[in-house]
Amino acid sequence: MCGICGFINYKRRLHDGDKAIVEEMARKIIHRGPDEQNALVFDNVALGFTRLSIIGLGNGMQPIYNEDKTLVLVCNGEIFNYIELTKLLKQRGHTFSTKSDVEVILHLYEDHGRDFLNQLNGQFAFALYDLKKKEIFCVRDQMGVIPFFYTVADDTFIFGSEIKAILAHPSVKPEIDPVGLDQVMTFAGLISPRTMFRDIHSLENGHYITVDAAGTIRKKEYWDLVYPEAGAAVNEQSEKYYIDQLEEHFENSIKLRLRADVPSGFYLSGGLDSSMIAMKVGQLNRENRKDAFSIDFIDSKLSETVYQKLIAKECNARLHLKTFHSEDISSRLQSSVYHSECPIKESYNTASHYLSGKVREEGIKVILSGEGSDELFAGYIGYRFDEMRAANVWNDETDPAEKKLRHALWGDESFFYELDFLSHNSVKKSLYADRFVHAFDEVNCLNYPVINRDRLVNRNALNKRSYLDFKIRLTDHLLSDHGDRMAMANSVEVRYPFLDKDLVEFSTTVPSGLKLKDFTEKYIVKKLAERFVPKTVCDREKFGFVAPGSPYLLQQDIEYINDILSYSQIKRQNFFNPDSVEALKKQYSQEGFSINAPFESDMLMIVISFGILLDHFIDNQSAPVAAARPSLEFA
């Protein structure tokens, strides 16, 4: 994993001052690659790179050229199947100049143009400049593990692994996008291509863009999570067949993700998914003891230590058990928001930030983690609720206006996702400053496309929810602001065995009845786990960890949080209604008050973390924010 950035100006050649700019952009993301840095400026192109050395330690520095230097590449991430691809490319006559995994991208492009992306099994975001075509080719991986941001300003296409690199370019002035804020208020977090900054875009998972010599941007989807439509011909197999296939894909995924020239380890929560990874890693590496990293909490209701120690012993791992104190939340919250580049709705990012720091202290650069299983195999309570609705366990008395809104969002008026949006609109309006209430139709993120509704048409409820969880919860929240950003803040690369491309595509062929069976979530995953995970863990009820939220922060009487929530500060910034914030503070400070997560949102945490975001990125917080405008026009 690394950091990439750069820009192309379509009106002039670059000069020494431009090299200083791209070097400063790279410095803003040096946490992503503290091992080496490099910048390349030629013609009207500037490329910056910060390296976290993991594969090809001796000669894997970037930017990297092809044989005749007609292509140049900067890539953030890993191509896990590079050994197999390198062998094939050498058989075709290609010459490799490095031991780096990403060099295969250049040679695949030489052979196939842009039509090679689904040969890559990995997590990556790259920018490849074609000197003959005078065109840049920018790609984000199929799952969206690696971020890629871009904008256009002053005849210049500007990109970076993080927004802070883009903001370092003098042509870019940070301005809050109120629709991005409304997405955070409404969903788990931001949804690509939206970001918190107006006219700065996040490239969607499974998409690429090209920018030609005239500066014309074209965007195309090359991969998506596609479930079979109802009535499609399916050659359904036995339960054992699907479990066997899942194990084969899972084992192969872990083998690929253990490829590194540096030590690696894994996160171990004590839950099913991380325990499966731990036990399978132990099976595959009996002679190479791995490091496991776990968080413990003082509150016995949150502690999973007994299961963490059990699994670590069973898989012969060195367990690094770190105690996370509640006061660590306030001390790490500002840094967590800075690296997330967006407000957060819960404080768990601070625990992830803390744990990745402990990983790095042990000299580990690569960590395996269990995200993705819940979204692909029906692991959340919403899947059970869908089943209960289908069984007519309760009557649907939804307001007709809410049904109309659901149809507009999902193409299905009966499909409930997360909350009653009309009621929540009232909650948002009560919290917003008057200027946003008066322009609510422009600010309301529900008035803009959220996902590709065609992927939901004629799919059953389980697959609809899986697709939405994948696009709305996983890609831009759990993998981005919660995963990549909290790990890379401490120069740690996280890899996700459940998000292997082949495994994910296989998951779309698994019958829904093997994902949720008799109201048992992740049935097939649990049946696979029974083959090699201790029964004590397999039989556990799903443990939903909820980190202490804003009520806890209010109790601590922390000076910087009091300043952020002060009446005068809220009024001056003019994003939220200061009277409403005061009412929330009073409500959240009441003795015994608690937020019913995950069914209720911690609205005051959004206000706090948004205030931190303004402190970090917006110079003049009281400056007016323009109403929402359309995104960049794409050819």
Side-chain angles (χ1 to χ4, degrees):
M1 202 85 85
C2 305
I4 61 173
C5 58
F7 56 92
I8 302 174
N9 188 288
Y10 295 98
K11 297 295 185 181
R12 64 174 177 84
R13 290 178 62 88
L14 303 186
H15 49 67
D16 289 344
D18 293 295
K19 186 172 184 181
I21 291 172
V22 77
E23 288 175 340
E24 177 60 21
M25 292 172 66
R27 273 193 289 273
K28 291 294 185 181
I29 54 174
I30 199 168
H31 48 276
R32 299 188 71 90
D35 296 334
E36 291 183 272
Q37 294 78 46
N38 195 16
L40 176 66
V41 176
F42 61 94
D43 297 335
N44 63 335
V45 179
L47 300 174
F49 183 73
T50 64
R51 188 182 188 204
L52 182 64
S53 304
I54 291 175
I55 293 175
L57 303 182
N59 63 354
M61 190 57 182
Q62 300 179 39
I64 182 174
Y65 285 96
N66 65 335
E67 297 100 324
D68 62 4
K69 293 197 172 182
T70 57
L71 305 172
V72 61
L73 170 76
V74 285
C75 180
N76 169 23
E78 310 290 346
I79 310 302
F80 298 128
N81 62 335
Y82 76 100
I83 293 176
E84 293 80 4
L85 290 172
T86 298
K87 182 178 179 181
L88 289 173
L89 288 163
K90 285 183 175 179
Q91 290 173 354
R92 294 177 192 159
H94 288 279
T95 301
F96 282 72
S97 61
T98 76
K99 297 294 184 182
S100 167
D101 56 306
V102 303
E103 190 177 350
V104 298
I105 294 171
L106 291 165
H107 304 307
L108 286 168
Y109 181 85
E110 289 175 314
D111 283 0
H112 304 286
R114 297 192 290 267
D115 297 327
F116 69 89
L117 296 173
N118 284 316
Q119 295 184 48
L120 302 178
N121 188 330
Q123 51 188 59
F124 49 86
F126 65 78
L128 186 157
Y129 188 75
D130 188 323
L131 281 76
K132 290 182 178 178
K133 292 183 178 180
K134 304 294 184 184
E135 179 180 271
I136 195 165
F137 175 43
C138 304
V139 183
R140 189 177 181 192
D141 67 72
Q142 295 96 338
M143 306 305 143
V145 175
I146 308 300
F148 186 94
F149 300 99
Y150 63 98
T151 192
V152 173
D154 295 339
D155 300 313
T156 306
F157 174 77
I158 308 163
F159 68 90
S161 295
E162 297 184 13
I163 294 172
K164 55 183 67 67
I166 293 174
L167 295 178
H169 193 286
S171 294
V172 180
K173 307 302 179 189
E175 185 177 353
I176 293 297
D177 180 354
V179 183
L181 175 59
D182 196 68
Q183 280 192 345
V184 176
M185 298 273 281
T186 307
F187 297 110
L190 289 161
I191 306 167
S192 295
R194 190 76 62 175
T195 73
M196 279 305 303
F197 299 90
R198 196 162 67 82
D199 292 335
I200 297 180
H201 308 271
S202 170
L203 185 60
E204 299 97 317
N205 71 290
H207 281 68
Y208 69 76
I209 55 175
T210 59
V211 191
D212 65 18
T216 302
I217 297 176
R218 293 178 173 86
K219 181 164 62 173
K220 183 176 180 179
E221 180 183 78
Y222 70 90
W223 187 93
D224 199 11
L225 182 69
V226 180
Y227 284 105
E229 295 188 41
V234 177
N235 184 20
E236 195 163 318
Q237 305 290 329
S238 68
E239 179 177 304
K240 182 179 182 300
Y241 165 85
Y242 289 107
I243 298 171
D244 289 344
Q245 288 293 302
L246 179 57
E247 181 165 26
E248 182 178 328
H249 285 296
F250 184 61
E251 186 169 301
N252 186 60
S253 174
I254 288 179
K255 288 178 181 177
L256 290 177
R257 281 154 185 77
L258 290 175
R259 287 179 171 175
D261 296 335
V262 295
S264 61
F266 50 83
Y267 286 148
L268 181 56
S269 70
L272 183 69
D273 302 329
S274 68
S275 297
M276 289 176 68
I277 293 170
M279 294 302 298
K280 189 59 74 170
V281 168
Q283 287 181 3
L284 298 172
N285 290 265
R286 297 187 187 279
E287 297 179 1
N288 182 15
R289 196 179 187 200
K290 293 291 183 181
D291 292 85
F293 293 86
S294 302
I295 279 189
D296 188 24
F297 298 89
I298 298 298
D299 187 342
S300 60
K301 297 191 297 294
L302 302 178
S303 177
E304 297 181 82
T305 302
V306 60
Y307 302 103
Q308 294 162 348
K309 290 181 176 179
L310 168 65
I311 295 298
K313 181 180 179 181
E314 290 291 326
C315 71
N316 191 33
R318 290 181 293 268
L319 179 62
H320 304 272
L321 187 60
K322 308 298 180 182
T323 301
F324 187 73
H325 300 273
S326 294
E327 53 265 30
D328 291 322
I329 295 172
S330 58
S331 66
R332 291 180 177 272
L333 185 59
Q334 294 182 80
S335 179
S336 295
V337 173
Y338 172 74
H339 286 287
S340 297
E341 298 175 336
C342 68
I344 56 179
K345 304 181 78 163
E346 71 286 315
S347 64
Y348 191 70
N349 275 24
T350 60
S352 299
H353 186 287
Y354 171 85
L355 189 57
S356 69
K358 297 304 177 183
V359 171
R360 188 64 191 202
E361 286 177 8
E362 296 295 332
I364 304 293
K365 292 183 177 180
V366 175
I367 283 290
L368 274 60
S369 187
E371 279 78 2
S373 174
D374 287 328
E375 291 76 14
L376 297 171
F377 294 99
Y380 296 121
I381 195 170
Y383 295 91
R384 275 196 283 169
F385 287 165
D386 289 339
E387 192 81 355
M388 294 167 72
R389 291 187 188 93
N392 295 316
V393 173
W394 67 63
N395 294 322
D396 184 2
E397 299 178 354
T398 304
D399 184 283
E402 174 69 17
K403 288 184 176 182
K404 183 178 179 180
L405 181 53
R406 291 178 189 174
H407 186 271
L409 290 169
W410 323 128
D412 183 348
E413 67 175 27
S414 66
F415 188 76
F416 173 87
Y417 187 74
E418 299 297 317
L419 47 77
D420 185 317
F421 290 110
L422 283 182
S423 297
H424 193 64
N425 281 348
S426 299
V427 173
K428 293 187 294 185
K429 284 183 178 180
S430 71
L431 193 54
Y432 280 141
D434 286 345
R435 59 172 173 161
F436 293 139
V437 175
H438 297 324
F440 188 69
D441 283 346
E442 295 179 42
V443 171
N444 185 4
C445 68
L446 301 178
N447 290 333
Y448 302 84
V450 177
I451 48 89
N452 180 359
R453 292 196 321 173
D454 290 343
R455 298 288 188 263
L456 303 178
V457 173
N458 208 23
R459 271 73 175 189
N460 66 34
L462 188 147
N463 288 338
K464 284 182 181 179
R465 184 169 299 276
S466 178
Y467 184 80
L468 291 174
D469 280 344
F470 181 85
K471 303 292 281 193
I472 293 176
R473 184 194 304 274
L474 181 67
T475 298
D476 292 306
H477 173 52
L478 294 179
L479 297 184
S480 186
D481 70 75
H482 175 71
D484 171 87
R485 315 305 279 283
M486 293 303 97
M488 291 304 289
N490 291 300
S491 310
V492 173
E493 174 179 293
V494 184
R495 301 175 175 183
Y496 303 96
F498 283 104
L499 293 175
D500 177 87
K501 175 180 171 290
D502 295 337
L503 191 157
V504 171
E505 290 176 348
F506 164 74
S507 76
T508 66
T509 71
V510 176
S512 296
L514 291 180
K515 295 180 179 180
L516 182 70
K517 186 171 183 178
D518 299 327
F519 296 103
T520 299
E521 300 117 330
K522 294 199 298 191
Y523 173 81
I524 187 175
V525 176
K526 292 177 180 178
K527 296 302 290 185
L528 171 58
E530 288 173 1
R531 295 181 175 184
F532 52 88
V533 175
K535 189 174 187 300
T536 306
V537 172
C538 290
D539 291 345
R540 283 189 71 190
E541 286 290 325
K542 184 176 177 65
F543 182 83
F545 170 72
V546 179
S550 62
Y552 167 80
L553 295 176
L554 292 176
Q555 295 168 16
Q556 304 312 299
D557 194 27
I558 300 163
E559 183 177 2
Y560 84 85
I561 290 178
N562 291 339
D563 289 343
I564 287 171
L565 293 178
S566 69
Y567 192 96
S568 60
Q569 180 87 319
I570 296 295
K571 184 177 181 178
R572 181 176 66 82
Q573 291 170 347
N574 200 24
F575 287 92
F576 297 109
N577 184 318
D579 293 316
S580 299
V581 173
E582 288 296 311
L584 275 184
K585 287 162 62 177
K586 183 177 180 180
Q587 178 188 4
Y588 284 23
S589 298
Q590 292 175 357
E591 185 176 350
F593 175 81
S594 63
I595 295 168
N596 184 22
F599 304 106
E600 295 178 342
S601 293
D602 187 341
M603 303 305 285
L604 200 58
M605 179 61 80
I606 298 175
V607 177
I608 293 169
S609 56
F610 181 73
I612 295 172
L613 183 90
L614 292 178
D615 286 343
H616 280 308
F617 295 108
I618 307 296
D619 292 332
N620 184 8
Q621 297 170 15
S622 59
V625 177
R629 294 200 314 221
S631 298
L632 288 174
E633 293 296 325
F634 296 104

